[in-house]
Structures are given as C-alpha cells and as structure tokens.
Amino acid sequence: MASLFTASKCAFFSPKEFDLGSSFSPSISAHGCRRRAMRKVLSVMAPPAPSPHSLATTGLVKHSMTMTEKILARASERSRLEPGENVWVNVDVLMTHDVCGPGTFGIFKREFGRNAKVWDREKIVVIPEHYIFTSDERANRNVDILRDYCIEQNIKYFYDIKDLSNFRVNPDYKGVCHIALAQEGHCRPGEVLLGTDSHTCNAGAFGQFATGIGNTDAGFVMGTGKVLLKVPPTMRFVLDGEMPDYLLAKDLILQIIGEITVSGATYKSMEFTGSAVESLTMEERMTLCNMVIEAGGKNGVVPPDETTFKYLEDKTSVKYEPVYSDDNARFISDYKFDVSKLEPTVAKPHSPDNRALARECKDVKIDRVYIGSCTGGKTEDFLAAARVFLASGKKVKVPTFLVPATQKVWMDIYSLPVPGSGGKTCSQIFEEAGCDVPASPSCGACLGGPRDTYARMNEPQVCVSTTNRNFPGRMGHKEGQIYLASPYTAAASALTGFVTDPRQFLM
C-alpha cells in the first residue's frame, strides 16, 4: 500500500504536534518543516478579535486560509481565523430528523420558553427518514411530534409523511436527509449547514462547511441562529490519476480511512482535491465527504467547480459565494494518492478502518447484500450495481436488498435506462438478477432500527453493505458481520455468495 500514496507533514505544522487544547503563538514564524512553538490555552473563552490596526485588516499582508477557515470567517464576521480559535458562527441551514428532532425541539422549548419562536422558520429543515416504515409506536410517535412542532412554528421545509402504507401518496416525503438536502437545494457553496446527524458532513461535497451537532447545540441554534465552534485545522487529500472503471468513490474513502484510521482526522477538516476528485460527479463527491466522520473528521469539503454549479442550477435560487483555499494555505498534512493504482477495497468487521482489498477476502462466504443508505443508496449507486448485474447476466446467490435513499432515487430506478442495456432500467435488471424489489426510501437497516425494519439483520449473518459503519450491532444483530464496500463490489458479491472483486465481471 505504501507505494500508492505519499504523505507529507511538512506543511505549517505536524499532526502529532497539534493539540486541540493548544494554539499557535502569532509571534513565531514558519519555515520549512521546523517544529513550531506552541502555548497551552488557559481559558475556554474565544480568542479576542484582531486589532483593527493589525496588518491583516489593513491590506498590507494577506492572511492565507483554507476553505473551511474562510467559510467560518465569513460566518463569524471575521477577516481571519486560526485553527483552534473558538468563534460564534452564524448558521445558514439547520437540519434535524425524526430521531433527534423531538429532543431538539424539547430543548429549544425548555431553554427559550414554551411560546418561543425559532430564529428563522425558512432556515430549518425537518426530515423524517430513519424509523419510518415500522409498526413501532414510539418511532411513529416521533414523526407525530415533529409534525406538531412544525405546524406550531410554521416551518417551511418540513418533508412530512402521513400514510406509511404507500410512500408514493406522500408528495412532501423525501427520504434520507443528507441526499434530500442536496436534491432540494439546501446545500450551497460557502455556507454553514449543521444537522443533528453525524453524516451531515455529506454536504461538504458542495464546498460548504457541514457537520453534525448534538440536540443541545441544535436547540440553541434553533433559538438564536448561532453556534460556538472551534476552528478545525485542515488535512489535504490530493487524489490524482485516472479513475479505473472498476473503482468508485467508496473505494477511495475506504482507502483513506484505512490509511489514517478512524481517529486519524479527529476534529479536523478533510479537504479533497486533485484531478480524480474533479472528475467525480456530485453524488460520488457526496460519498467521499459522507464518511469523513468515520475518520473522526469534523467536516469534509470539496472545492466547488462547474460540476457543482451545474448540479445546483435547477435546485436553488439562493445566491451563494464559493470560496477556495489559498495557494499557501496552511494544511497540517498532505496525503497524495495515485488512484489509477488503487484496487476495489472493503472494510472488514468491525471497523471502517479495517481495510482490505476485495480480492483478499474472496474466501469469505456471505449471507446477504444490502445496497442503500446516504452513502450507497443514491441513483448512481444503483446504476453502478445494475451495471455489474448486466455484465454478468447471472442471478444473485444470496438475498440482495435494495433501499433507495429518496423518492427521487426510487423513481430513477424505475425510469432511467442503464447505459449499454438497450433501454432497460435498473428495476428491470434487478428483477432479472433475482434481487428483492426496491424498498420504500428511508435509512432502512443502516442504523438497525426496530425489529420489523426492512432488511434488518435479526440473525448473526455476514453482509456486504454499501452503508457507512460496520460496528457490532450497527445493522441489527450484535454478532452480525458487515463488510463495507462499493456498489460494484456489493453487486459482484451478491452474484457469487462470497466477497468478490468486481473486476471479475467488469473486465
């Protein structure tokens, strides 16, 4: 693996030198790879704003910043920021869902008063998605609570569902929050988007600061539109080279997490650049940013470009201002990958950093395959799986569950022709391969959920999944074994009954 990338820690400072309880002395100059002097923060108060007569504000010296630092500087009305500073940030969008929404609204009411109104009814997005298609009364009650609060507060963007027997008769219902946020135009370059879900970092694909927060912070944001954040330092991941046609973004992020470990980016920003990243579609960029939390990252971000702007053309009329890292911005580390040399990758149980090549796991017998979630349930994920089934012309050997992320994805599965198929749709190809009928759009079994959740692992089985986590019990049974993989690898594995390198069918 060492030959596939290079890691440079000769940037402004070393990851080993950085401490979240430390900050940099502004009087120390940086040169080469020398160690920098540091001092401990002795107060939890935010550092004072720069003097109005400082060089940085007179225009004599330009203060270089990363994308994340620039976004937070704008949101905190500051001209410059340093990693480690605590700043009050103005929030552009706050998202919550059926799992955390009731608690968030409850905290808001408790702290601001029973008759309090939210800070901005048009900047709060409420999306039922996790435990929806279940007979569990408590899960159903969560959606009822959301509805009551949203009616009371006149929340503009509440994507409600009332009839659980047929999701298609619910025109407002969307599905998985992270994909719905993108499809409905809530993800915009240069903005700050917060959500009560760890995979909110998915939206960083649009060149915005997006991260998950807890119910308490969300309740405060709901009342004030602000949150106190520590500015994270930025790690840069440069992915160059031509993407082989058997690789997907899921392979890239599993490779990266396997390299830096699940704690390698703890409270750091992960910025993805390079020719390979520029070649990715928006949905593939979402996959890349979606799993930065699996490396401990605070947020992930991709520089916006024409691909980004094209995607947003018919989705939002809100003006936005993209920002980019300065050429001499300070990164705590640089990781460089030649993607042309990478191979299909999986994460073995029970951690996303338990990396292995798919071909190294060819003797692992599996019981099922699951294609879905915010990470692997987008339109392009199903098109990729269909491509493998089409190329093989065979039927699956294990139960293969398909869970579209949103209503739009579900519709695409039934309407979009698969390239090279002679006009066949994904649904037709899935049916011919013997897969389960695509389920109602939701998070499904990604988070386990109530026992009657579709495709939940209620037995200690082995599953190849396009989801994001493979901790014990994540998809249900605590003794279940989950192999995280790309849609290509998941589909190939379904065809053989073993963890399978998709090149067996794609080359």
Side-chain angles (χ1 to χ4, degrees), residues 188-310:
R188 296 177 289 265
E191 293 191 352
V192 172
L193 185 153
L194 304 179
T196 56
D197 189 288
S198 61
H199 291 103
T200 301
C201 50
N202 184 89
F206 292 84
Q208 68 182 156
F209 179 87
T211 194
I213 57 174
N215 291 5
T216 303
D217 279 346
F220 185 82
V221 173
M222 199 166 277
T224 66
K226 297 178 181 291
V227 71
L228 183 66
L229 288 176
K230 184 187 291 290
V231 180
T234 300
M235 304 171 71
R236 181 167 55 183
F237 296 84
V238 183
L239 290 81
D240 284 321
E242 184 176 352
M243 279 277 284
D245 62 4
Y246 47 79
L247 286 187
L248 293 169
K250 184 66 169 290
D251 297 294
L252 304 183
I253 193 62
L254 289 178
Q255 171 72 23
I256 290 171
I257 295 170
E259 195 58 49
I260 68 174
T261 79
V262 291
S263 60
T266 299
Y267 210 95
K268 297 177 179 67
S269 175
M270 297 173 67
E271 182 172 327
F272 301 99
T273 66
S275 60
V277 175
E278 293 168 4
S279 72
L280 296 178
T281 64
M282 285 311 303
E283 290 196 355
E284 283 285 82
R285 295 178 190 186
M286 287 186 225
T287 300
L288 205 56
C289 289
N290 180 277
M291 288 187 66
V292 302
I293 187 62
E294 270 67 60
K298 183 65 174 176
N299 71 301
V301 68
V302 174
D305 56 15
E306 287 304 316
T307 299
T308 317
F309 308 143
K310 184 70 175 178

Side-chain angles (χ1 to χ4, degrees), residues 316-350:
T316 183
S317 60
V318 177
K319 292 184 178 180
Y320 54 82
E321 185 178 351
V323 299
Y324 305 90
S325 293
D326 293 319
D327 290 340
N328 55 342
R330 300 159 301 170
F331 297 95
I332 59 171
S333 59
D334 267 320
Y335 285 84
K336 298 183 179 181
F337 295 80
D338 181 350
V339 301
S340 67
K341 297 180 179 179
L342 299 180
E343 299 185 54
T345 304
V346 300
K348 300 184 295 184
H350 293 282

Side-chain angles (χ1 to χ4, degrees), residues 16 18 23 44 61 64 77 89 119 144 159 161-162 174-176 250 281 305 309 340 342 371 407 429 468:
K16 295 181 179 179
F18 187 80
S23 64
V44 296
V61 175
S64 298
E77 301 175 1
V89 171
W119 110 94
D144 294 338
Y159 298 114
I161 181 168
K162 295 180 180 178
K174 302 302 174 186
V176 177
K250 184 66 169 290
T281 64
D305 56 15
F309 308 143
S340 67
L342 299 180
I371 301 175
Q407 280 225 49
I429 293 172
N468 42 52

Side-chain angles (χ1 to χ4, degrees), residues 80-202:
R80 57 178 289 178
L81 287 178
E82 300 275 0
E85 288 191 73
N86 295 304
V87 290
W88 286 104
V89 171
N90 295 311
V91 178
D92 294 294
V93 178
L94 172 68
M95 184 280 298
T96 191
H97 51 49
D98 56 300
V99 175
C100 298
T104 295
F105 275 111
I107 290 169
F108 164 70
K109 288 286 189 178
R110 185 190 71 197
E111 299 300 327
F112 291 91
R114 296 186 61 82
N115 298 319
K117 295 296 182 182
V118 298
W119 110 94
D120 192 326
R121 74 175 192 87
E122 295 189 11
K123 292 188 176 182
I124 296 172
V125 183
V126 182
I127 308 181
E129 48 139 21
H130 270 83
Y131 306 144
I132 304 301
F133 303 104
T134 172
S135 61
D136 187 284
E137 293 182 359
R138 291 181 177 84
N140 297 157
R141 177 60 183 144
N142 268 18
V143 179
D144 294 338
I145 293 171
L146 289 186
R147 185 178 303 113
D148 292 342
Y149 273 122
C150 288
I151 291 173
E152 174 195 311
Q153 295 288 334
N154 193 25
I155 300 298
K156 183 176 182 179
Y157 300 109
F158 172 44
Y159 298 114
D160 196 8
I161 181 168
K162 295 180 180 178
D163 188 342
L164 304 183
S165 65
N166 181 2
F167 71 90
R168 285 173 288 174
V169 303
N170 298 270
D172 293 332
Y173 178 68
K174 302 302 174 186
V176 177
C177 62
H178 310 300
I179 309 309
L181 283 169
Q183 292 176 345
E184 298 304 313
H186 299 294
C187 301
R188 296 177 289 265
E191 293 191 352
V192 172
L193 185 153
L194 304 179
T196 56
D197 189 288
S198 61
H199 291 103
T200 301
C201 50
N202 184 89

